[in-house]
Amino acid sequence: MMSEKIRLVLAKRDKSKAWLADQLNWSTSNLYNKLKRDNFSEKELIQIAEVLDCTFEAYFSLNDSDEKF
């Protein structure tokens, strides 16, 4: 799920996965593997958001109210 969102933002920013890996100081194979497995920590998602000039927001939202945690 996050991998698809990252790909969408990359396309919107007209940037490649190789460019992103370079900006994060990751190997391209490391990024490609993380995208393939959809395996990112919250810290990594925040770093990716910073590089792509966007905001990553992670929270739990109760379905029966507007409360977010």
Side-chain angles (χ1 to χ4, degrees):
M1 182 169 176
M2 280 297 142
S3 293
E4 184 59 30
K5 291 178 181 185
I6 292 168
R7 287 184 182 98
L8 290 171
V9 176
L10 283 169
K12 186 79 170 172
R13 297 286 191 227
D14 197 27
K15 301 293 184 185
S16 68
K17 291 178 275 191
W19 175 87
L20 179 59
D22 183 59
Q23 296 300 304
L24 294 167
N25 293 317
W26 295 357
S27 67
T28 53
S29 62
N30 182 39
L31 177 60
Y32 287 16
N33 286 334
K34 285 183 171 291
L35 287 166
K36 182 178 178 180
R37 292 187 315 261
D38 198 25
N39 183 23
F40 295 93
S41 69
E42 185 175 356
K43 181 180 176 181
E44 291 169 334
L45 292 168
I46 292 168
Q47 291 173 323
I48 291 167
E50 288 173 1
V51 167
L52 294 173
D53 191 27
C54 58
T55 303
F56 172 74
E57 297 176 351
Y59 53 83
F60 292 98
S61 180
L62 296 180
N63 294 330
D64 56 354
S65 71
D66 288 335
E67 290 183 90
K68 296 178 183 174
F69 303 96

